[in-house]
Amino acid sequence: MASPTSLLKRLLVGRPFRSDRLQHTLLPKRIALPVFASDALSSVAYAPDEILLTLSIAGASAYFYSPWVALAVVVVMLTVVASYRQNVHAYPSGGGDYEVATVNLGPKAGVGVASALMVDYVLTVAVSTSSGVANLGSVIPWVAEHKVGVAVTAVALLTAMNLRGLRESGTAFAIPTYGFMIVIIGMLLTGIVRIFVLGDDLRAPSADLLIAAEDDHLTGFAMVFLLLRTFSSGCAALTGVEAISNGVPAFKPPKSRNAATTLLLLGTVAVTMLVGIVWMSRLTHLQFVEDPGLQIVQGPAGYEQKTVTTQLGEAIFGGGVLLYVVAAATALILFLAANTAFNGFPVLGSILAQDRYLPRQLHTRGDRLAFSNGIVLLALFAIVLIVAFQAEVTRLIQLYIVGVFVSFTLSQVGMIRHWNRLLPRTRDPEQRRRMIRSRAINAFGAAMTGTVLVIVLITKFLLGAWIAIAAMAVIYVTMLAIRRHYDTVSRELTPDEDRQVLPARNHAVVLVSKVHLPTLRALAYAQATRPDTLTAVTVNVDDKDTRRIQEEWERREIPVPLTVVDSPYREITRPILDFVKSVRRSSPRDVVTVFIPEYVVGKWWEHILHNQSALRIKGRLLFEPGVMVTSVPWQLASSAAKDLDRLDRDLARGPARGPRDRTPPQ
């Protein structure tokens, strides 16, 4: 029978996929949109909140600027979408910003972009799930009281779904994502009809509250600074746009064209919903503040501030079922928005591992053809952030978008150099015009995103952005250190023509604790390797046991000399090491092969009772140059309970089977 751990894994993750199933996991546009664009689409659920609460610092009158701030964000978003459409055509391999920066600006710039993206992906999961909990808590008080636990549970569920495979999770996320789009656009259209056609006076629940400014004298530079800070908070709506350029390999052919079309759909839908929500907030006189306890003057007893989308749902639909539909759809899309990071982070980690900037374990796919190690690593980092910041969106959002605008800017600068390199080699007039147009788009995008990056750094550095910058620096240094380590190991392992590879002689040493079947098998195997010298070694810890071994050795007339090493302090490992070193010392160009008899057991608790000395000796001998360690297994009866053939069959069995081997007829 399979072990409980294996059964649990199969229950959560599913049965393993064969490698030839990889082509079947590619995504059509209708599935790719919710998979890669859910983050950018869902950001319209918290970007308006951040715009309004930041403006509330100057009082309710500052809400006048909210549509203009939203329009500025829209200009940046459309610019970024247009720029990344050039990226996916030029670099369809899936490296995204990392590949663009590495190829055109150098490896260190690429590592800088990668570190920024990794921080941004982790924050995407933390911010999206925390915002989802906040929206759900607006209508379900119990969720608001246990928001950290609910957010962590949501991350765990998302991890399990993504471990099942990209296409399977994409299909599961398609309905909620499209449902959110229909609910929000339907809510906005209903509001427009009620206001402009039916003449209803719609007012948000917070419309009549008296809002006190935190600072009544914001004029001149202070007001400009506040508007810039509001703009930088609203730019959270742009997060997730870069995920499509990183995920081009996951699209069905033609990959680049499908990715570019998905980008255009993403930009159109996200812009429509963002502008619609901010505009409807002004029409319903909605108010959303940074600190309700201080800014709301003489508010209702026990007043709990609801999110912007929930307030709009209550103003447009009333307190009926449709309000809960809006809250549920918004919360669900925010939970699923983290899926963008769960698809982008593991792919980027795999590419970085292939380039030797991250551990190689992140490069390989798991049972379900997903990058399982990257998925689990992302989940762990996000949970740490959620717990550390108590799932507070306002606190987490200050760390956000720094990384994504670093990658935006460096990527666009890299694309400018890309077109500058190709233009002199191109003679076709039509291709040159297309390249010049693309270069102009990327240049405008670089100027725009670079300006936003400066604004974000100025307005958010002391509010928490410095934490994200510090994290990027740590990841950057760590990746360079990992690359140096792999390069050093590669140089050490490169064959040298002048270096003697084959040893002059091989000296075999068999460790003896008792004269029993495992020892006799180890002696026979050592003799079969035909070493130049063969010696059996036992450590004298107890005189009586040692004499018994010597007597049994002589009685069986074993044709191998037995060497007894004294151990006055009853150690085992140190005397064996000293003996092996003495053999090496006399012949430095020779090798010493140490044969260690080991028990193979079937029960987990039997590992505690056996092989402990062998493991210690083996672990220490591995650090000795010129020493080879060979384990000689002896299977105990309990190990026979392991049905290895059945285990191999279970692991090899997948949903899609290739042609079976057939024995030809005789």
Side-chain angles (χ1 to χ4, degrees), residues 506-510 526-527 529 531-536 591-595:
N506 178 24
H507 303 278
V509 176
V510 179
Q527 289 175 309
T529 62
D532 294 283
T533 63
L534 174 59
T535 306
V591 298
V592 179
T593 303
V594 181
F595 295 85

Side-chain angles (χ1 to χ4, degrees), residues 18 35 94 105 112 122 141 143 160 208 214 218 282 330 407 410 429 431 445 454 545-546 553 575 580 590 595 619 664:
R18 291 164 56 100
V35 167
L105 303 177
V122 174
V143 173
D208 298 321
E214 291 186 16
L218 281 177
R282 294 296 302 134
T330 305
S407 63
L410 289 177
Q431 287 187 1
V454 172
D545 291 339
T546 303
W553 202 270
V580 171
D590 298 350
F595 295 85

Side-chain angles (χ1 to χ4, degrees), residues 511 572-573 576 596 613-622:
L511 303 187
I572 296 178
T573 306
I576 290 175
I596 305 177
S613 297
L615 289 174
R616 286 196 300 272
I617 295 170
K618 184 192 302 184
R620 187 61 185 85
L621 286 172
L622 290 175

Side-chain angles (χ1 to χ4, degrees), residues 30-31 48 66 74 89 118 126 138 186 199 220-221 224 274 416 435 471 489 595 605 659:
R30 67 180 184 278
I31 301 297
S66 59
V74 166
H89 285 297
M118 294 177 76
S138 295
F221 177 78
V224 172
L274 176 65
I416 295 171
M435 289 181 181
V489 171
F595 295 85
W605 53 267

Side-chain angles (χ1 to χ4, degrees), residues 162-494:
N162 278 277
L163 287 174
R164 296 188 69 89
L166 184 64
R167 178 164 184 149
E168 190 167 344
S169 65
T171 304
F173 294 160
I175 295 176
T177 303
Y178 286 121
F180 170 74
M181 294 163 57
I182 293 171
V183 167
I184 295 299
I185 294 175
M187 179 183 70
L188 296 175
L189 290 176
T190 302
I192 292 172
V193 170
R194 290 191 61 185
I195 293 173
F196 294 102
V197 178
L198 301 179
D200 293 341
D201 182 22
L202 300 183
R203 297 185 68 82
S206 59
D208 298 321
L209 296 176
L210 181 59
I211 305 299
E214 291 186 16
D215 191 339
D216 296 320
H217 305 288
L218 281 177
T219 58
F221 177 78
M223 191 63 194
V224 172
F225 185 84
L226 179 66
L227 290 174
L228 291 176
R229 179 181 161 191
T230 304
F231 169 69
S232 66
S233 296
C235 284
L238 276 74
T239 56
V241 174
E242 81 289 345
I244 292 180
S245 67
N246 293 331
V248 176
F251 283 80
K252 280 190 171 182
K255 296 176 182 291
S256 296
R257 190 171 69 187
N258 287 338
T261 303
T262 305
L263 260 171
L264 183 60
L265 291 172
L266 158 66
T268 304
V269 175
V271 162
T272 301
M273 291 195 294
L274 176 65
V275 172
I277 290 175
V278 174
W279 182 43
M280 190 58 62
S281 299
R282 294 296 302 134
L283 293 176
T284 58
H285 308 284
L286 186 148
Q287 301 184 106
F288 193 81
V289 300
E290 186 175 35
D291 190 342
L294 294 177
Q295 293 180 261
I296 297 178
V297 180
Q298 297 179 348
Y303 174 76
E304 291 289 337
Q305 179 172 253
K306 297 179 180 180
T307 59
V308 169
T309 53
T310 305
Q311 290 193 52
L312 287 179
E314 189 171 343
I316 295 171
F317 296 129
V321 176
L322 290 178
L323 170 62
Y324 288 91
V325 172
V326 171
T330 305
L332 189 56
I333 187 62
L334 284 164
F335 288 139
L336 300 186
N339 187 62
T340 301
F342 274 107
N343 288 307
F345 182 95
V347 172
L348 177 62
S350 174
I351 295 171
L352 289 168
Q354 187 176 13
D355 291 346
R356 298 185 294 181
Y357 288 111
L358 287 179
R360 291 171 181 167
Q361 292 87 336
L362 295 175
H363 177 55
T364 54
R365 295 180 183 268
D367 289 350
R368 302 281 290 186
L369 299 179
F371 295 107
S372 306
N373 293 331
I375 290 171
V376 173
L377 193 65
L378 172 63
L380 291 176
F381 285 147
I383 288 173
V384 169
L385 277 179
I386 290 171
V387 174
F389 288 86
Q390 292 297 293
E392 291 287 347
V393 180
T394 303
R395 294 173 62 194
L396 285 167
I397 206 78
Q398 309 305 329
L399 285 68
Y400 211 15
I401 77 171
V402 178
V404 76
F405 274 96
V406 169
S407 63
F408 282 168
T409 305
L410 289 177
S411 173
Q412 299 314 304
V413 172
M415 286 300 298
I416 295 171
R417 296 194 65 175
H418 169 78
W419 300 124
N420 287 341
R421 188 175 66 252
L422 291 183
L423 271 171
R425 309 175 191 170
T426 306
R427 295 291 178 262
D428 183 64
E430 180 61 29
Q431 287 187 1
R432 286 183 61 84
R433 281 194 295 270
R434 189 164 54 248
M435 289 181 181
I436 292 172
R437 184 179 65 248
S438 297
R439 182 177 64 178
I441 293 173
N442 288 128
F444 184 72
M448 187 70 70
T449 56
T451 302
V452 176
L453 176 60
V454 172
I455 293 172
V456 169
L457 291 175
I458 293 173
T459 59
K460 290 195 169 189
F461 185 82
L462 296 178
L463 296 176
W466 67 269
I467 299 176
I469 297 171
M472 292 176 209
V474 170
I475 295 174
Y476 178 85
V477 172
T478 301
M479 286 197 291
L480 291 181
I482 291 173
R483 176 60 188 260
R484 280 196 300 270
H485 169 76
Y486 278 135
D487 288 345
T488 301
V489 171
S490 179
R491 286 193 298 270
E492 287 185 16
L493 301 182
T494 301

